[in-house]
Amino acid sequence: MIKKIVYFFVLSIVFCTSCKSKSRRVFTRTSQGGSSSSLMAEEPSVRDYSVTKANAYNDLFLDSMAFEKYISTNPHSDSILENMRDFYNARNFEFAWFDSKGLNEQALGFRSLYKYSTDSVNKQLDQKLDELILHESTVSSSDPAIIKIELQLTRRFVQFVLDAYSDNNIHASDLQTFVPIKKQPMMQLVDSILSGNNHDNDKVASINPLYSGLRTQLAKYAAIAKKGGWDTIPRTKSKFVLGKNFPELLIVKKRLAASGEFTVNDTTSTYTPELEAAIKDYQESHGMTADGKISPTLIKSLNVPINYRIQQLLVNMERMHWLPVKKEGKLILVNIPEFMLHVTDGNSHVKHMPVIVGKEGHTTTMFSDDLQEIVFSPYWNVPTSIVKNELMPAMDKNPNYLAEKHMEITSKGGGVPTIRQLPGGDNSLGRVKFLFPNSFNIYFHDTPSKSLFDKDVRAYSHGCIRLSDPVWMANYLLENSTEWTPEKIEAAMNSGVEKTVRLKHSVPVIITYYTAWIDENNKMNFREDIYGNDQAVAVKMFSDVQ
């Protein structure tokens, strides 16, 4: 049963060349609700042997006999069977959802979209995906368990598209190339996307405003690159003062004019109020404190090469395919590199909230689930890794450490005790936590360390997400409850007695990773690639990126 109408599921044709006119067959299937759906398909795809290990997006290839064995031993409708075969023929049986390092970004993106969009579950498959994410390790293309998961995901993908486009005639070639297949030179891909003859790409842009916005910016940045890019601003020790002249400002003004923040026709070297306003605009859209100061951090950001910005645009355009565009009801979305949480209701923006995410070595996982419970005055059940690596050494140095931190041992065994922190003002979870059950033990929570929210880069947690305004979140989630008034919520948060409240209607949570996007004010935003995910994707996408 489809939970939401998934018109937002966008066809990925960034990597699709123009389709030739062919006779078509129509696959018809009966959906889970009993209605008929169809997918327009061309003649069966011929296996593309030009896809090789040297140029493939993923570095694993599937044995075609293993594919046929899976098909023969697992019942499928004709539409799913034929589309799966065409999907892999177009890839020369390159894996779609794995590379040798494990599940790839497309697998994580599709998993989140699928979870958000449908009620259909396969608990065994989802548990295996969780285990692969939790225990990262190299995988082999000959591993039967990996092959099975790969093909199960493809089957889920094909069925999802059939359901999502039950009222649309969608070409099979679109389905085949949804996941990137080949590396190619970066600017060649840019030219392909911006080509006036790329009608398929126009179709994507017409139904996905997020993608469309980035494509418009891509055209702008590509034009700058073809003119030679922008000049590098030299390092300076100057103390810039409004109204004074500084030679470096000629380059600063030219640079900000190129990206659109400085719109005044001014070729002087004077530090003007208009320049200060342009700097604030740039800082705000790049995740910096908007103070208008020309700092080393600002100059470093302005000097990021134009080709790197183009790379960011392309990588994030690829990610846009897995993000809901048209949303129904309440949704909480966390963008990790932005250090922000966004609450929407349908397509209306409700709240933007600064958050703290996982630091290096404790990165926050990308996934989606449903927020179901609020816990007031929570205990903090300290993870075993923190007990072993942080608390036990502290306890060895200070026998009173646990008492001073209002912690207690609840059990012993295996050499590592089970420890929890009592509810209270210094509890690491603060006064409230918000649970969306998942295998990664990630949730939202309050924090007594409020000063960290003043920083531009907010990656300090052990993986969970700290909220800057948890009181607002609790009131928002319980706004339709006559029992939970703001006064009662405040009392529960300060009671010192743990109390769990289950929401009548769960709220979807999606944790994402976007370093380039257009916001609701149509402003271009860039952020730092804090976990190195952009670079990992770029090396796979482009033949000319090291």
Side-chain angles (χ1 to χ4, degrees), residues 25-178:
R25 63 185 186 273
V26 180
F27 295 138
T28 303
R29 66 181 293 276
T30 300
S31 67
Q32 294 174 1
S35 60
S36 175
S37 62
S38 63
L39 181 73
M40 290 300 295
E42 298 172 353
E43 288 301 314
S45 294
V46 176
R47 186 168 177 175
D48 187 354
Y49 288 99
S50 70
V51 182
T52 66
K53 290 185 178 181
N55 63 20
Y57 179 81
N58 292 316
D59 58 356
L60 297 181
F61 280 76
L62 180 68
D63 184 340
S64 59
M65 295 304 294
F67 171 81
E68 294 299 336
K69 180 179 179 181
Y70 172 83
I71 292 296
S72 66
T73 55
N74 290 272
H76 302 288
S77 66
D78 288 344
S79 58
I80 292 176
L81 169 64
E82 294 302 328
N83 276 290
M84 286 182 69
R85 183 173 283 112
D86 285 350
F87 180 80
Y88 282 107
N89 274 334
R91 310 178 64 78
N92 193 20
F93 286 85
E94 172 196 346
F95 273 65
W97 313 107
F98 285 93
D99 57 34
S100 59
K101 296 179 181 178
L103 289 168
N104 61 19
E105 264 211 14
Q106 286 70 32
L108 298 180
F110 174 53
R111 184 172 186 265
S112 290
L113 181 60
Y114 186 84
K115 174 70 177 178
Y116 172 80
S117 307
T118 78
D119 289 319
S120 179
V121 295
N122 180 335
K123 290 185 178 180
Q124 187 178 28
L125 173 58
D126 289 333
Q127 183 60 42
K128 289 178 180 177
L129 294 176
D130 285 352
E131 291 171 1
L132 285 166
I133 297 169
L134 281 167
H135 308 290
E136 294 181 7
S137 61
T138 58
V139 299
S140 168
S141 61
S142 61
D143 184 337
I146 297 299
I147 293 171
K148 183 177 181 180
I149 294 171
E150 163 76 15
L151 295 173
Q152 284 179 317
L153 282 173
T154 301
R155 182 183 186 279
R156 173 181 279 187
F157 170 68
V158 170
Q159 186 165 2
F160 181 82
V161 173
L162 284 167
D163 286 331
Y165 286 99
S166 59
D167 298 323
N168 297 273
N169 291 329
I170 302 302
H171 298 165
S173 57
D174 296 327
L175 170 66
Q176 294 161 20
T177 55
F178 199 98

Side-chain angles (χ1 to χ4, degrees), residues 363-376:
T363 57
T364 300
T365 304
M366 292 180 285
F367 70 101
S368 68
D369 224 303
D370 294 324
L371 197 158
Q372 300 175 2
E373 294 179 339
I374 303 175
V375 182
F376 295 114

